[in-house]
Amino acid sequence: MNKKELAEIKKNFTDSSGLFTLNRVAVVYIDPQKNVRCKTNDLYSIIPEEKGNVYMETLSKLFRGSLGKGLIEYSFPNEQYDEGGAQKELYAAVKSKLGDEESVDKLIVRIVNNLAYEAAYTIILGHCSYSIVKRDKNDDDLDSAADEYNFICAAICPANTSDDGLMFDNESNTIQKKANTELIISKEPTDGFFYPVFSDRAPDVNHVMYYTKSPKKPNISFINDVLGCEFVMSAHGEKTTFQAVLNDVVGDELNYTVITAVNDEIRELVTNSKNDTELPCIDKNKMYNILERAGVSNEKLEALPAVFKEKVGDGVLTATNLVENKTKLATPEITVSISQNATDKVRTTVMDGRRCLIIDLEDPAISINGIDTRITGNSI
């Protein structure tokens, strides 16, 4: 599934779209002891409007992440279509359009038994259909009949009590302390998925899209145990791996100039790919070219293939997960943040035997702690 296809579903995931329908919604409340305390499964059309709007809003948030960060596509291992496998159970739920209670219950049991979640939560399952209007080679809609994309989406929403607080009592005209013991179900899912994915503008039953609210800390138990897929690096993990490759390959040649030049190269790659449907990726060959243009010596670059293979394997790194929008220089006492268009105004040098950071200021006016001042003579 690419950026354009995700944007198409995201745009149409609404009651106001004439191409999209949320057909059925199953809602299950799970207590901290993993007991199913409440379950409903209704046609969306008969759910009261206020409640239905909440379900629609919550499920639509599964499509608001960025590919490669909050949304990661996984392929199923072959065994997941065997009896009891995740793919087989998801496919049965889609085929029944959540109308078969047995297949719905199997999916719920799979989530409850395999999800590492200590607090109470609610599972919101939706069956949706989207009319795929055919397009010509110029990407214009055709008048021919549309195909249909049927899929299910699931949102895991935590349930918590609100903080204790103060309240004003109208009867006694006093302020009193009140503890709210009612469990409030969040409209912000922490995890979720939709299946099958929308690839080449058609259903792809061999892939599932995992959603996480926290790209730096995805729920690995959800990916491995609920969806039956093999966890890959998170966005944060990709950046950490990339930094490890840089350190091992470039070593003592790593300095401000090289680091900012590498970031500029990756930013240019991302910028040039912004209209592409696929995410820009970096394999060992692209990384070699990036480091070479950044000024890394040929001697150092000889180590890149082996290091990349060790750290990344046969995979690639997503460029959008690696680029830095600001350059940050930090010591234990001082932190300097530099915008992307000002990296050339900062230099490192040695003066009188002391290692120094020099910042070129074209304008003598600067701000310190929000107070405007000017550089005059040799002092601020």
Side-chain angles (χ1 to χ4, degrees):
M1 188 171 190
N2 59 40
K3 293 185 291 184
K4 192 171 184 179
E5 290 160 342
L6 175 63
E8 182 177 346
I9 301 301
K10 183 189 302 185
K11 175 184 176 182
N12 285 283
F13 202 104
T14 171
D15 281 331
S16 61
S17 171
L19 302 174
F20 171 83
T21 305
L22 176 57
N23 301 302
R24 181 175 285 274
V25 180
V27 183
V28 186
Y29 177 79
I30 312 297
D31 69 18
Q33 289 73 44
K34 293 183 173 289
N35 298 309
V36 175
R37 298 287 298 275
C38 172
K39 176 194 168 190
T40 60
N41 188 349
D42 300 302
L43 291 171
Y44 178 69
S45 59
I46 67 170
I47 296 173
E49 183 177 359
E50 289 187 0
K51 186 184 290 186
N53 288 341
V54 173
Y55 295 153
M56 176 68 78
E57 179 184 352
T58 299
L59 292 174
S60 70
K61 290 177 180 177
L62 299 174
F63 300 83
R64 295 180 185 175
S66 299
L67 284 177
K69 291 186 179 180
L71 286 168
I72 306 174
E73 184 174 330
Y74 284 94
S75 60
F76 291 105
N78 291 337
E79 65 271 14
Q80 290 303 321
Y81 200 73
D82 295 338
E83 192 64 36
Q87 184 182 10
K88 188 174 184 67
E89 292 181 356
L90 288 173
Y91 185 81
V94 174
K95 189 175 181 181
S96 75
K97 301 182 178 180
L98 296 183
D100 175 54
E101 291 297 334
E102 182 179 355
S103 63
V104 173
D105 288 343
K106 278 187 178 181
L107 182 54
I108 291 168
V109 168
R110 180 176 195 88
I111 295 172
V112 174
N113 288 348
N114 292 290
L115 182 59
Y117 216 82
E118 297 180 357
Y121 63 94
T122 293
I123 306 168
I124 302 176
L125 287 167
H127 171 263
C128 311
S129 55
Y130 171 64
S131 296
I132 310 169
V133 178
K134 294 182 180 179
R135 293 174 178 169
D136 61 20
K137 62 181 180 180
N138 297 319
D139 220 20
D140 294 325
D141 291 347
L142 299 173
D143 294 330
S144 56
D147 295 324
E148 192 165 73
Y149 166 45
N150 281 283
F151 62 100
I152 59 171
C153 44
I156 307 299
C157 302
N160 298 295
T161 56
S162 62
D163 295 335
D164 294 350
L166 299 174
M167 59 166 286
F168 178 74
D169 190 314
N170 283 309
E171 294 183 2
S172 62
N173 288 330
T174 59
I175 295 176
Q176 300 180 10
K177 188 172 185 300
K178 177 178 176 59
N180 185 358
T181 59
E182 295 180 348
L183 283 166
I184 307 299
I185 298 169
S186 173
K187 292 190 290 185
E188 297 286 339
T190 56
D191 298 277
F193 68 86
F194 62 90
Y195 171 83
V197 300
F198 186 58
S199 183
D200 292 330
R201 302 197 73 237
D204 177 0
V205 298
N206 293 315
H207 291 81
V208 62
M209 189 70 76
Y210 165 69
Y211 164 85
T212 177
K213 183 182 177 182
S214 305
K216 290 185 177 181
K217 295 182 179 180
N219 193 329
I220 298 176
S221 74
F222 199 104
I223 298 164
N224 290 346
D225 304 323
V226 175
L227 298 178
C229 301
E230 185 178 348
F231 172 71
V232 296
M233 283 187 288
S234 64
H236 179 69
E238 285 198 81
K239 182 173 289 187
T240 301
T241 300
F242 173 74
Q243 292 170 348
V245 173
L246 270 184
N247 277 300
D248 287 1
V249 172
V250 185
D252 57 8
E253 290 185 14
L254 265 180
N255 56 31
Y256 176 82
T257 302
V258 170
I259 293 171
T260 54
V262 168
N263 194 52
D264 287 344
E265 289 284 342
I266 298 174
R267 184 186 297 111
E268 183 177 1
L269 173 62
V270 171
T271 301
N272 292 340
S273 305
K274 66 181 180 180
N275 294 324
D276 295 347
T277 56
E278 303 294 337
L279 292 175
C281 293
I282 296 175
D283 58 16
K284 67 176 184 294
N285 294 326
K286 281 188 180 178
M287 189 159 184
Y288 186 100
N289 294 334
I290 288 170
L291 296 184
E292 186 178 45
R293 287 194 294 267
V296 178
S297 68
N298 290 332
E299 181 184 359
K300 296 290 187 182
L301 288 173
E302 289 177 1
L304 177 61
V307 173
F308 197 94
K309 177 72 173 179
E310 177 192 350
K311 304 293 185 184
V312 186
D314 297 323
V316 296
L317 297 171
T318 309
T320 50
N321 292 339
L322 309 180
V323 69
E324 300 283 0
N325 293 322
K326 287 191 175 183
T327 299
K328 184 178 288 186
L329 283 71
T331 71
E333 300 86 12
I334 300 171
T335 299
V336 179
S337 183
I338 308 162
S339 66
Q340 63 185 47
N341 59 351
T343 54
D344 61 333
K345 294 180 172 61
V346 179
R347 292 171 287 136
T348 57
T349 188
V350 177
M351 298 177 62
D352 299 327
R354 302 181 66 184
R355 292 181 290 273
C356 299
L357 180 70
I358 299 176
I359 303 175
D360 298 329
L361 300 175
E362 297 175 356
D363 191 333
I366 66 171
S367 173
I368 302 175
N369 292 339
I371 302 172
D372 293 334
T373 185
R374 297 175 66 83
I375 295 178
T376 58
N378 295 322
S379 61
I380 295 178

